[in-house]
Amino acid sequence: WRMSAIRQSEQQDETEMYNAVFRFVCFLTSVGFSLILLLFNVITSIFLGPEFHTAQQYIPILLLSTVFSTYSSFLGVIYASRRKSMSALQTTIIGAILNVLSNLVFIKTLGGIGAAVGTLISYFIVFLLRFRDTRKYIPFSFDVLPFVFTHLVFTFSVFASVWGGLDVVLAGLLCLIVSLIFNRKAIK
C-alpha cells in the first residue's frame, strides 16, 4: 500500500484513490473490531487462561485504540508519499508524550485500566492531528457524520461493556450493525 501511495502521488486521481482506500480501511477496521468484540468470549476462552481473567477488561479499550492506530498508520502513508517524515515523527512524539502523561493521571485514578484509557486517548489524538494535517496534501471527502457516529457508538459500547454492565457480545453486535449500515459505500 505504501509503495502504491508513493507512486500514486504523482498521478492526477490520487485524491479519489486515497478516499476510496480510506473508506475501505474504515470498513475493514470497523467490521474487524466489531467481529472481535462479538466473538470476544470465545476468543478469550481459547487464548487466555483463567489466571488472565482480570486482564479481559482491558482488551475492548485496547482494541478500540488499535482502530485509531490503524487510521493513524494510514495517514502516516500520506506523510511518506509527500516525504514529510518530520510530520510523522512529530505526531508520534506528541502521541507518546500524551500516553505517558495520561497514564500518570489515569493509572492513579483507575488502576490498570487507566493505562488502556491513556493509550486510547493518545492514539485518538494522533489520529486527529494527522487527519487535520494531511488534509492539506489530500483533501479527504468522506461523510464525517457517519464516521463520527460510528466511532461514538464504538466508544460507548466499549465503555459500557467495561463499566456499565453491557455484555461485550451485545456491544460487538451493536458495533457490527452500525459498521455495516454506515460503511455501505466501501462495500459497493
Side-chain angles (χ1 to χ4, degrees), residues 34 153-154 170-183:
S34 303
V153 169
F154 288 1
L170 266 152
L173 183 60
L174 174 65
C175 291
L176 182 61
I177 291 168
V178 169
S179 293
L180 293 174
I181 290 171
F182 288 107
N183 286 295

Side-chain angles (χ1 to χ4, degrees), residues 56-170:
Q56 288 181 0
Q57 64 183 331
Y58 309 135
I59 295 172
I61 297 171
L62 292 172
L63 188 59
L64 185 56
S65 301
T66 304
V67 168
F68 291 109
S69 172
T70 300
Y71 299 155
S72 296
S73 294
F74 172 85
L75 296 171
V77 171
I78 295 172
Y79 288 137
S81 73
R82 294 295 191 265
R83 295 173 177 79
K84 300 291 183 188
S85 57
M86 188 58 72
S87 296
L89 176 65
Q90 289 169 342
T91 56
T92 301
I93 289 172
I94 290 169
I97 291 169
L98 281 172
N99 198 337
V100 169
L101 292 175
S102 58
N103 282 342
L104 290 172
V105 171
F106 290 119
I107 290 174
K108 284 182 182 178
T109 57
L110 301 174
I113 206 161
V117 171
T119 300
L120 173 59
I121 290 169
S122 63
Y123 275 124
F124 178 69
I125 297 296
V126 170
F127 163 68
L128 288 179
L129 291 172
R130 287 184 176 187
F131 184 76
R132 188 191 74 206
D133 190 44
T134 57
R135 288 186 75 147
K136 63 186 167 196
Y137 308 117
I138 303 293
F140 284 99
S141 60
F142 70 98
D143 296 328
V144 174
L145 275 159
F147 179 86
V148 170
F149 180 75
T150 300
H151 292 81
L152 284 174
V153 169
F154 288 1
T155 304
F156 166 78
S157 297
V158 162
F159 284 103
S161 70
V162 172
W163 283 303
L166 178 65
D167 184 75
V168 72
V169 174
L170 266 152

